[in-house]
PDB file of all heavy atoms in Angstrom:
ATOM      1  N   GLN J  18      30.702 140.416 109.988  1.00  0.00           N
ATOM      2  CA  GLN J  18      31.856 139.664 109.482  1.00  0.00           C
ATOM      3  C   GLN J  18      31.592 138.161 109.571  1.00  0.00           C
ATOM      4  O   GLN J  18      31.938 137.417 108.660  1.00  0.00           O
ATOM      5  CB  GLN J  18      33.116 139.999 110.289  1.00  0.00           C
ATOM      6  CG  GLN J  18      33.661 141.381 110.034  1.00  0.00           C
ATOM      7  CD  GLN J  18      34.773 141.725 111.009  1.00  0.00           C
ATOM      8  OE1 GLN J  18      34.641 141.538 112.214  1.00  0.00           O
ATOM      9  NE2 GLN J  18      35.879 142.217 110.480  1.00  0.00           N
ATOM     10  N   LEU J  19      30.985 137.740 110.665  1.00  0.00           N
ATOM     11  CA  LEU J  19      30.678 136.314 110.847  1.00  0.00           C
ATOM     12  C   LEU J  19      29.648 135.855 109.823  1.00  0.00           C
ATOM     13  O   LEU J  19      29.788 134.783 109.237  1.00  0.00           O
ATOM     14  CB  LEU J  19      30.174 136.061 112.270  1.00  0.00           C
ATOM     15  CG  LEU J  19      31.229 136.217 113.360  1.00  0.00           C
ATOM     16  CD1 LEU J  19      30.574 136.236 114.732  1.00  0.00           C
ATOM     17  CD2 LEU J  19      32.261 135.109 113.275  1.00  0.00           C
ATOM     18  N   THR J  20      28.633 136.678 109.597  1.00  0.00           N
ATOM     19  CA  THR J  20      27.604 136.346 108.599  1.00  0.00           C
ATOM     20  C   THR J  20      28.237 136.188 107.226  1.00  0.00           C
ATOM     21  O   THR J  20      27.965 135.217 106.516  1.00  0.00           O
ATOM     22  CB  THR J  20      26.504 137.435 108.582  1.00  0.00           C
ATOM     23  OG1 THR J  20      25.871 137.472 109.860  1.00  0.00           O
ATOM     24  CG2 THR J  20      25.471 137.155 107.507  1.00  0.00           C
ATOM     25  N   ALA J  21      29.101 137.129 106.858  1.00  0.00           N
ATOM     26  CA  ALA J  21      29.776 137.070 105.557  1.00  0.00           C
ATOM     27  C   ALA J  21      30.645 135.822 105.449  1.00  0.00           C
ATOM     28  O   ALA J  21      30.638 135.131 104.421  1.00  0.00           O
ATOM     29  CB  ALA J  21      30.613 138.322 105.339  1.00  0.00           C
ATOM     30  N   ALA J  22      31.379 135.504 106.514  1.00  0.00           N
ATOM     31  CA  ALA J  22      32.248 134.331 106.497  1.00  0.00           C
ATOM     32  C   ALA J  22      31.438 133.039 106.377  1.00  0.00           C
ATOM     33  O   ALA J  22      31.798 132.130 105.627  1.00  0.00           O
ATOM     34  CB  ALA J  22      33.123 134.295 107.752  1.00  0.00           C
ATOM     35  N   ILE J  23      30.323 132.965 107.096  1.00  0.00           N
ATOM     36  CA  ILE J  23      29.457 131.783 107.015  1.00  0.00           C
ATOM     37  C   ILE J  23      28.929 131.626 105.593  1.00  0.00           C
ATOM     38  O   ILE J  23      28.959 130.523 105.028  1.00  0.00           O
ATOM     39  CB  ILE J  23      28.300 131.873 108.039  1.00  0.00           C
ATOM     40  CG1 ILE J  23      28.853 131.749 109.468  1.00  0.00           C
ATOM     41  CG2 ILE J  23      27.246 130.789 107.772  1.00  0.00           C
ATOM     42  CD1 ILE J  23      27.872 132.140 110.556  1.00  0.00           C
ATOM     43  N   CYS J  24      28.464 132.719 104.999  1.00  0.00           N
ATOM     44  CA  CYS J  24      27.940 132.667 103.630  1.00  0.00           C
ATOM     45  C   CYS J  24      29.011 132.216 102.639  1.00  0.00           C
ATOM     46  O   CYS J  24      28.719 131.454 101.705  1.00  0.00           O
ATOM     47  CB  CYS J  24      27.366 134.020 103.228  1.00  0.00           C
ATOM     48  SG  CYS J  24      25.829 134.436 104.098  1.00  0.00           S
ATOM     49  N   GLU J  25      30.251 132.656 102.850  1.00  0.00           N
ATOM     50  CA  GLU J  25      31.351 132.249 101.968  1.00  0.00           C
ATOM     51  C   GLU J  25      31.676 130.758 102.134  1.00  0.00           C
ATOM     52  O   GLU J  25      32.099 130.106 101.178  1.00  0.00           O
ATOM     53  CB  GLU J  25      32.604 133.065 102.271  1.00  0.00           C
ATOM     54  CG  GLU J  25      32.520 134.506 101.811  1.00  0.00           C
ATOM     55  CD  GLU J  25      33.703 135.333 102.314  1.00  0.00           C
ATOM     56  OE1 GLU J  25      34.732 134.746 102.699  1.00  0.00           O
ATOM     57  OE2 GLU J  25      33.584 136.570 102.314  1.00  0.00           O
ATOM     58  N   LEU J  26      31.493 130.236 103.338  1.00  0.00           N
ATOM     59  CA  LEU J  26      31.845 128.839 103.608  1.00  0.00           C
ATOM     60  C   LEU J  26      30.738 127.849 103.239  1.00  0.00           C
ATOM     61  O   LEU J  26      31.014 126.663 103.071  1.00  0.00           O
ATOM     62  CB  LEU J  26      32.203 128.668 105.087  1.00  0.00           C
ATOM     63  CG  LEU J  26      33.527 129.297 105.505  1.00  0.00           C
ATOM     64  CD1 LEU J  26      33.665 129.290 107.020  1.00  0.00           C
ATOM     65  CD2 LEU J  26      34.697 128.563 104.856  1.00  0.00           C
ATOM     66  N   LEU J  27      29.524 128.319 103.094  1.00  0.00           N
ATOM     67  CA  LEU J  27      28.416 127.399 102.780  1.00  0.00           C
ATOM     68  C   LEU J  27      28.669 126.550 101.539  1.00  0.00           C
ATOM     69  O   LEU J  27      28.481 125.324 101.594  1.00  0.00           O
ATOM     70  CB  LEU J  27      27.093 128.167 102.655  1.00  0.00           C
ATOM     71  CG  LEU J  27      26.490 128.635 103.981  1.00  0.00           C
ATOM     72  CD1 LEU J  27      25.310 129.554 103.720  1.00  0.00           C
ATOM     73  CD2 LEU J  27      26.079 127.448 104.841  1.00  0.00           C
ATOM     74  N   PRO J  28      29.115 127.131 100.418  1.00  0.00           N
ATOM     75  CA  PRO J  28      29.363 126.279  99.242  1.00  0.00           C
ATOM     76  C   PRO J  28      30.479 125.253  99.479  1.00  0.00           C
ATOM     77  O   PRO J  28      30.431 124.151  98.940  1.00  0.00           O
ATOM     78  CB  PRO J  28      29.781 127.273  98.153  1.00  0.00           C
ATOM     79  CG  PRO J  28      29.309 128.598  98.621  1.00  0.00           C
ATOM     80  CD  PRO J  28      29.307 128.541 100.117  1.00  0.00           C
ATOM     81  N   VAL J  29      31.460 125.606 100.307  1.00  0.00           N
ATOM     82  CA  VAL J  29      32.560 124.686 100.612  1.00  0.00           C
ATOM     83  C   VAL J  29      32.034 123.489 101.398  1.00  0.00           C
ATOM     84  O   VAL J  29      32.312 122.332 101.073  1.00  0.00           O
ATOM     85  CB  VAL J  29      33.660 125.421 101.431  1.00  0.00           C
ATOM     86  CG1 VAL J  29      34.742 124.450 101.881  1.00  0.00           C
ATOM     87  CG2 VAL J  29      34.247 126.565 100.624  1.00  0.00           C
ATOM     88  N   VAL J  30      31.258 123.774 102.431  1.00  0.00           N
ATOM     89  CA  VAL J  30      30.748 122.727 103.317  1.00  0.00           C
ATOM     90  C   VAL J  30      29.674 121.884 102.628  1.00  0.00           C
ATOM     91  O   VAL J  30      29.664 120.659 102.747  1.00  0.00           O
ATOM     92  CB  VAL J  30      30.199 123.361 104.614  1.00  0.00           C
ATOM     93  CG1 VAL J  30      29.485 122.338 105.467  1.00  0.00           C
ATOM     94  CG2 VAL J  30      31.333 124.007 105.401  1.00  0.00           C
ATOM     95  N   LEU J  31      28.793 122.534 101.895  1.00  0.00           N
ATOM     96  CA  LEU J  31      27.684 121.812 101.251  1.00  0.00           C
ATOM     97  C   LEU J  31      28.076 121.223  99.899  1.00  0.00           C
ATOM     98  O   LEU J  31      27.318 120.465  99.312  1.00  0.00           O
ATOM     99  CB  LEU J  31      26.481 122.749 101.094  1.00  0.00           C
ATOM    100  CG  LEU J  31      25.861 123.233 102.408  1.00  0.00           C
ATOM    101  CD1 LEU J  31      24.823 124.300 102.139  1.00  0.00           C
ATOM    102  CD2 LEU J  31      25.265 122.070 103.185  1.00  0.00           C
ATOM    103  N   LYS J  32      29.253 121.603  99.414  1.00  0.00           N
ATOM    104  CA  LYS J  32      29.793 121.094  98.151  1.00  0.00           C
ATOM    105  C   LYS J  32      28.853 121.326  96.974  1.00  0.00           C
ATOM    106  O   LYS J  32      28.649 120.483  96.120  1.00  0.00           O
ATOM    107  CB  LYS J  32      30.163 119.606  98.274  1.00  0.00           C
ATOM    108  CG  LYS J  32      31.280 119.393  99.285  1.00  0.00           C
ATOM    109  CD  LYS J  32      31.531 117.932  99.521  1.00  0.00           C
ATOM    110  CE  LYS J  32      32.633 117.658 100.506  1.00  0.00           C
ATOM    111  NZ  LYS J  32      32.657 118.435 101.727  1.00  0.00           N
ATOM    112  N   ARG J  33      28.244 122.528  96.988  1.00  0.00           N
ATOM    113  CA  ARG J  33      27.388 122.949  95.883  1.00  0.00           C
ATOM    114  C   ARG J  33      27.237 124.458  95.923  1.00  0.00           C
ATOM    115  O   ARG J  33      27.534 125.095  96.931  1.00  0.00           O
ATOM    116  CB  ARG J  33      26.020 122.274  95.939  1.00  0.00           C
ATOM    117  CG  ARG J  33      25.207 122.613  97.172  1.00  0.00           C
ATOM    118  CD  ARG J  33      23.865 121.901  97.139  1.00  0.00           C
ATOM    119  NE  ARG J  33      23.183 121.913  98.399  1.00  0.00           N
ATOM    120  CZ  ARG J  33      22.390 122.901  98.830  1.00  0.00           C
ATOM    121  NH1 ARG J  33      22.183 123.957  98.081  1.00  0.00           N
ATOM    122  NH2 ARG J  33      21.792 122.821  99.998  1.00  0.00           N
ATOM    123  N   GLU J  34      26.770 125.014  94.830  1.00  0.00           N
ATOM    124  CA  GLU J  34      26.561 126.461  94.725  1.00  0.00           C
ATOM    125  C   GLU J  34      25.499 126.916  95.721  1.00  0.00           C
ATOM    126  O   GLU J  34      24.456 126.273  95.864  1.00  0.00           O
ATOM    127  CB  GLU J  34      26.098 126.785  93.297  1.00  0.00           C
ATOM    128  CG  GLU J  34      25.826 128.232  93.045  1.00  0.00           C
ATOM    129  CD  GLU J  34      27.036 128.980  92.520  1.00  0.00           C
ATOM    130  OE1 GLU J  34      27.988 128.329  92.046  1.00  0.00           O
ATOM    131  OE2 GLU J  34      27.026 130.211  92.591  1.00  0.00           O
ATOM    132  N   VAL J  35      25.775 127.980  96.425  1.00  0.00           N
ATOM    133  CA  VAL J  35      24.792 128.597  97.316  1.00  0.00           C
ATOM    134  C   VAL J  35      24.782 130.083  96.973  1.00  0.00           C
ATOM    135  O   VAL J  35      25.735 130.793  97.265  1.00  0.00           O
ATOM    136  CB  VAL J  35      25.159 128.399  98.806  1.00  0.00           C
ATOM    137  CG1 VAL J  35      24.149 129.103  99.699  1.00  0.00           C
ATOM    138  CG2 VAL J  35      25.247 126.916  99.152  1.00  0.00           C
ATOM    139  N   SER J  36      23.721 130.535  96.318  1.00  0.00           N
ATOM    140  CA  SER J  36      23.691 131.934  95.903  1.00  0.00           C
ATOM    141  C   SER J  36      22.686 132.716  96.730  1.00  0.00           C
ATOM    142  O   SER J  36      21.665 132.179  97.159  1.00  0.00           O
ATOM    143  CB  SER J  36      23.352 132.038  94.417  1.00  0.00           C
ATOM    144  OG  SER J  36      22.101 131.435  94.169  1.00  0.00           O
ATOM    145  N   GLY J  37      22.993 133.969  96.959  1.00  0.00           N
ATOM    146  CA  GLY J  37      22.069 134.865  97.636  1.00  0.00           C
ATOM    147  C   GLY J  37      21.900 134.629  99.121  1.00  0.00           C
ATOM    148  O   GLY J  37      20.935 135.099  99.711  1.00  0.00           O
ATOM    149  N   ALA J  38      22.821 133.905  99.745  1.00  0.00           N
ATOM    150  CA  ALA J  38      22.693 133.654 101.186  1.00  0.00           C
ATOM    151  C   ALA J  38      22.937 134.951 101.949  1.00  0.00           C
ATOM    152  O   ALA J  38      23.776 135.756 101.580  1.00  0.00           O
ATOM    153  CB  ALA J  38      23.687 132.582 101.621  1.00  0.00           C
ATOM    154  N   ASP J  39      22.150 135.146 103.013  1.00  0.00           N
ATOM    155  CA  ASP J  39      22.330 136.305 103.886  1.00  0.00           C
ATOM    156  C   ASP J  39      21.929 135.903 105.293  1.00  0.00           C
ATOM    157  O   ASP J  39      21.682 134.718 105.564  1.00  0.00           O
ATOM    158  CB  ASP J  39      21.527 137.512 103.392  1.00  0.00           C
ATOM    159  CG  ASP J  39      20.026 137.248 103.329  1.00  0.00           C
ATOM    160  OD1 ASP J  39      19.534 136.324 104.020  1.00  0.00           O
ATOM    161  OD2 ASP J  39      19.332 137.970 102.598  1.00  0.00           O
ATOM    162  N   ALA J  40      21.852 136.866 106.207  1.00  0.00           N
ATOM    163  CA  ALA J  40      21.573 136.566 107.616  1.00  0.00           C
ATOM    164  C   ALA J  40      20.250 135.826 107.800  1.00  0.00           C
ATOM    165  O   ALA J  40      20.095 135.040 108.732  1.00  0.00           O
ATOM    166  CB  ALA J  40      21.584 137.846 108.440  1.00  0.00           C
ATOM    167  N   GLY J  41      19.299 136.039 106.901  1.00  0.00           N
ATOM    168  CA  GLY J  41      17.991 135.402 107.034  1.00  0.00           C
ATOM    169  C   GLY J  41      17.885 134.037 106.373  1.00  0.00           C
ATOM    170  O   GLY J  41      16.843 133.389 106.465  1.00  0.00           O
ATOM    171  N   THR J  42      18.936 133.586 105.715  1.00  0.00           N
ATOM    172  CA  THR J  42      18.893 132.295 105.026  1.00  0.00           C
ATOM    173  C   THR J  42      18.765 131.155 106.034  1.00  0.00           C
ATOM    174  O   THR J  42      19.533 131.072 106.990  1.00  0.00           O
ATOM    175  CB  THR J  42      20.164 132.094 104.179  1.00  0.00           C
ATOM    176  OG1 THR J  42      20.237 133.140 103.211  1.00  0.00           O
ATOM    177  CG2 THR J  42      20.151 130.751 103.463  1.00  0.00           C
ATOM    178  N   GLU J  43      17.774 130.299 105.823  1.00  0.00           N
ATOM    179  CA  GLU J  43      17.547 129.160 106.714  1.00  0.00           C
ATOM    180  C   GLU J  43      18.521 128.042 106.376  1.00  0.00           C
ATOM    181  O   GLU J  43      18.524 127.518 105.264  1.00  0.00           O
ATOM    182  CB  GLU J  43      16.106 128.679 106.588  1.00  0.00           C
ATOM    183  CG  GLU J  43      15.093 129.702 107.061  1.00  0.00           C
ATOM    184  CD  GLU J  43      13.664 129.218 106.914  1.00  0.00           C
ATOM    185  OE1 GLU J  43      13.422 128.215 106.218  1.00  0.00           O
ATOM    186  OE2 GLU J  43      12.783 129.862 107.507  1.00  0.00           O
ATOM    187  N   LEU J  44      19.345 127.682 107.350  1.00  0.00           N
ATOM    188  CA  LEU J  44      20.377 126.668 107.116  1.00  0.00           C
ATOM    189  C   LEU J  44      19.788 125.266 107.015  1.00  0.00           C
ATOM    190  O   LEU J  44      20.171 124.496 106.146  1.00  0.00           O
ATOM    191  CB  LEU J  44      21.416 126.722 108.251  1.00  0.00           C
ATOM    192  CG  LEU J  44      22.241 128.001 108.316  1.00  0.00           C
ATOM    193  CD1 LEU J  44      23.067 128.019 109.592  1.00  0.00           C
ATOM    194  CD2 LEU J  44      23.139 128.112 107.092  1.00  0.00           C
TER     195      LEU J  44
END
Side-chain angles (χ1 to χ4, degrees):
Q18 288 171 312
L19 291 168
T20 298
I23 291 166
C24 290
E25 288 172 19
L26 289 170
L27 286 171
V29 174
V30 172
L31 295 172
K32 296 173 180 45
R33 63 180 166 86
E34 179 92 17
V35 178
S36 59
D39 60 21
T42 300
E43 295 179 346
L44 294 171

